Amino acid sequence: MEFPPIHSFPPLYTRQPNKLVRNKQLETWAGIILDNAKKLHRWEIDKTGRFERGGPSIFTSESIGRAVPQLFINEIWRHMQRNNQIILRDESLQWGVLDDADADASFYVLWRPLDAWTSLILEWFDTANQMGKVVTFYELAQGDESLDCEFHGIPEPLLLRILKPLVKRGRATMLKGDNDQYVAIKVV
Amino acid sequence: MDLWYDVATNNSGRPLLRGGEQVVLIQDAVGLYDGKERVEGRQSGRVFLTQQRFVYVDDLNPTGNSVALDLENVASLEYSSGFLKRSPRLVVFVRDGGTRPPGEDITSAGFLTQWVCPICAEKNSTEGKFCDGDSSVQPVCFNCGVPADYELARDSIKYIETNKSTDPTDRDTVVCQSCTFINHKLMKFCEMCGGRLPPRKSHRSKKLFLKTGSLKETPQFFQLSFRKSDGSLFAKAAEKTLNDARQKDIFNQNVAEIDGAAVNPTVKEEELVKKLDKMDLMGINGLEKFRENQLLNNDILFTNALQDLNKLMSLANSIERLYKRESNNSGSSTTAHPYLVVDREKFFTKDSFLDEIAREVYEFAMSEFKDNEIDRNVIVTLVDFYAMYNKSVRIGTGLISPQELRDACQRFPKLGLHDLKLLKVNKRVLCLTSVNSLKFVEERVMEIVQGQPGSDSLKITQVLNEQAKTDNSWAIGIIDEILSSCINNGKLVLDEQMSGMLYYSNTFWSL
């Protein structure tokens, strides 16, 4: 992970009492998370700030020996949620899960807003000449065609949530696979 | 018009009284009239009635425009109430020719009156002309001490003209009224007993010429015009004080006791207490009375001790000042100690009492913090200051309440006392600060934090006090308040650790 200089500024790890300063602090944190996710191409993060299980938390700095307390981390998550920068990975969960210390929760990190992703993919269909063809989610996320695209490697459940609005608008139809799950899309 | 002379006041606009002089009453919003003419620049002030003088202290320019008139120059007083737009006033008739030893009437100077006392038939001779209807000369019998009645003594009166210049106590000497020692004319206090000598016109230090509209011959009276109140109480008090002062001059002047009873009022008080002590009071009531008396006794003792101490201090101060002026000739440091004897019974209204307390408190604060002269920055929480004030003064005269102190401090700007102000830090802690000190300390704190990021409040206080170089240290409570105010305005940010709060300058999230 790469961090800006502010990551080794001790007050970053303490919830600032001044509301205006705190808002800037929360934005700083959101920026650090989104930047890292984008650079590392990570889509998921758990509520302790780890991109992968067992990895280092983004909220910890070894060099200055500081870590953000979980309560403040939760505040950061809520701030990012308000700005549509993260969504809960498990759609059946509510945001109240953050208050439950024992519960496990993880998020999809959206360094672009959901509808920006939707239009990006739509654009890809156009430029890649895939209009009117059936494209599987696997092809879209992992296929060679999308290798250079920003959304390459996107988890399929997230992809489904990005593409759903197209179906609602009547721009696309989805096809179900064997086990009654959507596996492919056709954009018209 | 040269009867009024300048008086020194301290910075907060309270007159410096003579030793042993006590304020009887204070009247605010008074204007001075010379005869019937307004006196320029002395139209709004307070008049202190003391046992010895009227002291006028100007509201606008207390150090420059304050004047005093000795009671011994006052012939009589007359009170005239207000009428329509005319405010009530006290007319002060002065004696001709101004200052002179009391008991000697200038109109009859050069006369010696011989008369026989109608009570004890003793032959007396009195200076001055003893005639009917002249109340100013009322000779007292040398033998029996009873004032002579003109009607009864009329037959025996003889006038003898004397040559004034043969008077041995005329020009070069002043006779002490308490011990009769003949002092040099320039002395103000007796060299033997230290008593105050009667002032002489020829060597008054600073004569005052009040400016009026026209330059007519000197009027025979002055007027004190009461702008706000009707002043009748003041007039009565002045009358009484004047009478008391006269009585003292004439009647049994040097006598300590008459028929075994003490004359000195302070002695009298003690005597009274002693007598009460001896009274055979029974039961709980008796015990309570006894206890009260004991307390009263202690109070008197303490007050006297305190007064003595104050006198000693002022003496030491003046010696110190003299020494300083001698040594480096740059002596303009006039820091008089406050009297700390403001008595709430001397005021008509709570308002004027608070005004006086405000001046007092201001003076106290200034003298208390004068060590800090280098940077002249003072911040003290009102709670601390309250304790300091009440601790250092007011035994016997009663303490002031926190509310009173607060009200008094709020009056500083109104009274033209601009060096200190009451400030609410962080909307909760009331502090008494000098004008720029909060900003000053804030800047210093910011400097320290920028120089050493991650300092805690203890360290900041330490560094700050090392820099200050004086014994006067900044309280950590104040520093804490300043730090939290810096956080509130976004200049500092926090790093909370197990060991406490560390402070950093807000370099990343500037507002």
Side-chain angles (χ1 to χ4, degrees):
Chain A
M1 283 191 272
E2 278 177 43
F3 297 116
I6 196 172
H7 198 258
S8 41
F9 183 54
L12 184 68
Y13 298 85
T14 300
R15 181 181 184 271
Q16 295 302 321
N18 185 322
K19 203 176 174 193
L20 294 170
V21 173
R22 188 164 69 245
N23 273 335
K24 295 200 171 196
Q25 188 188 15
L26 291 170
E27 256 148 46
T28 306
W29 271 119
I32 291 174
I33 293 164
L34 294 181
D35 280 354
N36 269 290
K38 189 176 175 182
K39 264 183 214 145
L40 301 170
H41 240 75
R42 297 284 182 179
W43 301 90
E44 294 173 36
I45 193 164
D46 72 356
K47 77 171 194 180
T48 58
R50 291 170 219 277
F51 285 120
E52 55 202 72
R53 205 166 281 273
S57 167
I58 199 165
F59 297 114
T60 312
S61 170
E62 294 285 339
S63 58
I64 57 165
R66 296 287 192 280
V68 184
Q70 188 60 40
L71 269 177
F72 186 45
I73 295 181
N74 290 347
E75 199 174 336
I76 296 170
W77 293 137
R78 285 184 195 279
H79 176 82
M80 292 180 74
Q81 179 230 338
R82 271 197 301 278
N83 294 337
N84 298 317
Q85 288 161 330
I86 53 167
I87 50 174
L88 274 168
R89 185 158 164 257
D90 192 343
E91 269 183 294
S92 60
L93 288 177
Q94 297 294 313
W95 281 99
V97 75
L98 284 178
D99 299 329
D100 186 354
D102 299 329
D104 204 16
S106 57
F107 318 98
Y108 289 125
V109 185
L110 305 168
W111 60 88
R112 285 166 188 270
L114 265 182
D115 48 349
W117 282 117
T118 311
S119 49
L120 190 75
I121 291 174
L122 202 57
E123 209 177 292
W124 177 84
F125 270 96
D126 199 20
T127 52
N129 214 6
Q130 300 287 349
M131 290 289 200
K133 292 178 188 168
V134 174
V135 180
T136 61
F137 290 164
Y138 180 77
E139 267 179 290
L140 207 54
Q142 310 289 340
D144 294 343
E145 301 264 359
S146 67
L147 209 55
D148 300 331
C149 291
E150 211 179 328
F151 58 84
H152 186 82
I154 194 167
E156 279 178 40
L158 177 59
L159 194 60
L160 186 65
R161 279 157 84 171
I162 290 170
L163 295 175
K164 258 184 189 164
L166 287 178
V167 179
K168 267 188 195 152
R169 275 190 279 163
R171 287 287 318 262
T173 46
M174 286 197 195
L175 305 165
K176 282 185 181 171
D178 299 337
N179 43 10
D180 210 25
Q181 280 191 335
Y182 292 111
V183 291
I185 188 166
K186 188 173 88 177
V187 182
V188 286
Chain B
M1 198 57 255
D2 52 357
L3 294 177
W4 291 85
Y5 54 93
D6 272 331
V7 285
T9 59
N10 57 24
N11 297 330
S12 60
R14 312 197 68 222
L16 300 174
L17 301 180
R18 297 163 175 158
E21 190 175 9
Q22 280 177 351
V23 175
V24 178
L25 208 61
I26 300 170
Q27 173 77 46
D28 56 352
V30 178
L32 277 191
Y33 283 72
D34 181 11
K36 288 187 174 175
E37 310 263 355
R38 277 166 178 259
V39 183
E40 271 173 43
R42 292 179 181 83
Q43 284 307 306
S44 164
R46 291 167 297 140
V47 170
F48 291 69
L49 172 68
T50 75
Q51 290 155 331
Q52 299 174 3
R53 357 173 233 183
F54 288 112
V55 183
Y56 170 86
V57 178
D58 197 60
D59 279 347
L60 298 174
N61 184 5
T63 41
N65 275 354
S66 299
V67 289
L69 173 71
D70 279 326
L71 281 184
E72 58 192 42
N73 292 331
V74 175
S76 63
L77 298 169
E78 194 180 298
Y79 174 72
S80 82
S81 55
F83 180 69
L84 295 178
K85 284 178 98 177
R86 191 174 177 276
S87 38
R89 49 192 64 188
L90 180 69
V91 187
V92 181
F93 293 95
V94 293
R95 298 188 202 226
D96 253 359
T99 55
R100 58 196 174 74
E104 170 196 346
D105 200 27
I106 210 84
T107 53
S108 52
F111 280 104
L112 202 64
T113 309
Q114 283 192 338
W115 52 281
V116 176
C117 175
I119 309 287
C120 65
E122 170 78 16
K123 215 179 217 178
N124 287 283
S125 59
T126 316
E127 271 187 61
K129 202 167 186 174
F130 182 22
C131 55
D132 195 12
D134 185 1
S135 58
S136 62
V137 178
Q138 217 185 14
V140 178
C141 175
F142 176 71
N143 188 35
C144 63
V146 175
D149 187 80
Y150 176 75
E151 288 299 322
L152 294 175
R154 183 167 54 187
D155 298 338
S156 63
I157 287 174
K158 263 187 223 162
Y159 299 123
I160 300 170
E161 221 167 320
T162 55
N163 193 349
K164 251 236 133 197
S165 61
T166 57
D167 189 352
T169 65
D170 183 30
R171 287 276 173 258
D172 299 333
T173 54
V174 186
V175 178
C176 175
Q177 296 188 344
S178 342
C179 69
T180 70
F181 182 76
I182 299 173
N183 290 279
H184 187 265
K185 65 174 176 182
L186 290 179
M187 297 303 292
K188 280 185 175 172
F189 296 93
C190 177
E191 285 185 281
M192 286 296 125
C193 65
R196 199 167 79 88
L197 295 174
R200 293 174 63 90
K201 194 183 172 187
S202 51
H203 52 252
R204 183 80 79 198
S205 58
K206 227 181 181 179
K207 282 289 188 272
L208 178 83
F209 297 94
L210 298 177
K211 286 182 215 107
T212 54
S214 61
L215 286 165
K216 276 184 251 165
E217 65 176 87
T218 52
Q220 299 301 305
F221 62 93
F222 302 100
Q223 298 184 55
L224 306 178
S225 167
F226 304 110
R227 307 264 190 250
K228 278 186 189 150
S229 55
D230 77 336
S232 58
L233 207 59
F234 184 82
K236 272 179 202 158
E239 193 89 37
K240 187 174 177 297
T241 314
L242 188 64
N243 281 339
D244 286 351
R246 285 231 177 97
Q247 289 293 314
K248 236 187 226 168
D249 274 347
I250 299 167
F251 230 147
N252 296 324
Q253 196 177 325
N254 304 322
V255 183
E257 283 187 344
I258 300 172
D259 296 338
V263 177
N264 193 336
T266 55
V267 180
K268 238 183 214 168
E269 261 176 302
E270 280 165 21
E271 199 74 7
L272 185 75
V273 175
K274 269 180 204 157
K275 268 183 192 164
L276 283 171
D277 275 350
K278 284 176 199 156
M279 278 164 71
D280 295 326
L281 285 163
M282 303 292 283
I284 292 173
N285 187 31
L287 284 175
E288 273 177 355
K289 273 267 163 59
F290 180 72
R291 178 84 188 124
E292 260 171 38
N293 289 334
Q294 243 179 354
L295 283 177
L296 186 66
N297 217 349
N298 289 348
D299 259 7
I300 292 167
L301 209 69
F302 272 131
T303 314
N304 286 344
L306 212 69
Q307 274 172 355
D308 286 350
L309 206 66
N310 264 350
K311 268 182 214 161
L312 193 70
M313 279 307 291
S314 70
L315 216 67
N317 264 0
S318 59
I319 289 171
E320 190 190 15
R321 211 176 304 143
L322 202 70
Y323 175 75
K324 266 187 194 163
R325 205 173 298 157
E326 284 296 315
S327 57
N328 58 0
N329 259 345
S330 63
S332 60
S333 57
T334 47
T335 41
H337 268 274
Y339 309 115
L340 306 168
V341 283
V342 173
D343 197 344
R344 62 183 76 215
E345 279 141 35
K346 285 170 191 157
F347 299 92
F348 303 123
T349 60
K350 179 109 182 166
D351 211 41
S352 54
F353 170 68
L354 283 176
D355 275 356
E356 209 56 33
I357 282 286
R359 290 170 196 278
E360 178 79 11
V361 163
Y362 182 81
E363 195 58 29
F364 174 75
M366 290 311 267
S367 71
E368 197 65 26
F369 300 128
K370 72 177 174 192
D371 301 338
N372 217 0
E373 234 159 344
I374 313 141
D375 32 27
R376 271 263 167 241
N377 286 297
V378 173
I379 301 182
V380 59
T381 59
L382 208 59
V383 179
D384 286 350
F385 184 68
Y386 176 72
M388 271 164 77
Y389 181 71
N390 267 346
K391 212 173 5 176
S392 49
V393 287
R394 340 220 98 240
I395 299 165
T397 40
L399 307 162
I400 60 171
S401 72
Q403 185 63 40
E404 277 165 354
L405 182 71
R406 188 180 163 170
D407 288 349
C409 290
Q410 275 162 350
R411 280 160 193 264
F412 285 168
K414 200 188 95 192
L415 297 172
L417 310 171
H418 294 299
D419 282 351
L420 288 178
K421 62 180 177 181
L422 200 61
L423 201 70
K424 205 166 206 169
V425 181
N426 296 337
K427 294 177 187 156
R428 52 180 181 191
V429 185
L430 273 172
C431 289
L432 199 62
T433 72
S434 52
V435 181
N436 284 324
S437 53
L438 197 70
K439 211 175 144 206
F440 170 81
V441 181
E442 211 175 277
E443 277 166 12
R444 300 297 284 274
V445 167
M446 288 302 294
E447 268 172 39
I448 292 168
V449 171
Q450 270 158 17
Q452 302 174 311
S455 309
D456 58 1
S457 59
L458 200 67
K459 191 169 177 188
I460 292 172
T461 314
Q462 233 168 21
V463 175
L464 202 64
N465 284 339
E466 269 168 30
Q467 286 176 357
K469 287 181 199 121
T470 50
D471 303 334
N472 207 329
S473 58
W474 298 99
I476 197 159
I478 298 277
I479 301 294
D480 272 343
E481 290 304 327
I482 285 167
L483 285 172
S484 79
S485 110
C486 282
I487 282 176
N488 285 343
N489 60 29
K491 283 181 181 168
L492 289 180
V493 285
L494 266 182
D495 175 25
E496 198 173 353
Q497 288 299 300
M498 294 282 276
S499 55
M501 298 285 191
L502 306 182
Y503 295 88
Y504 290 81
S505 140
N506 184 4
T507 43
F508 288 100
W509 305 306
S510 55
L511 299 178

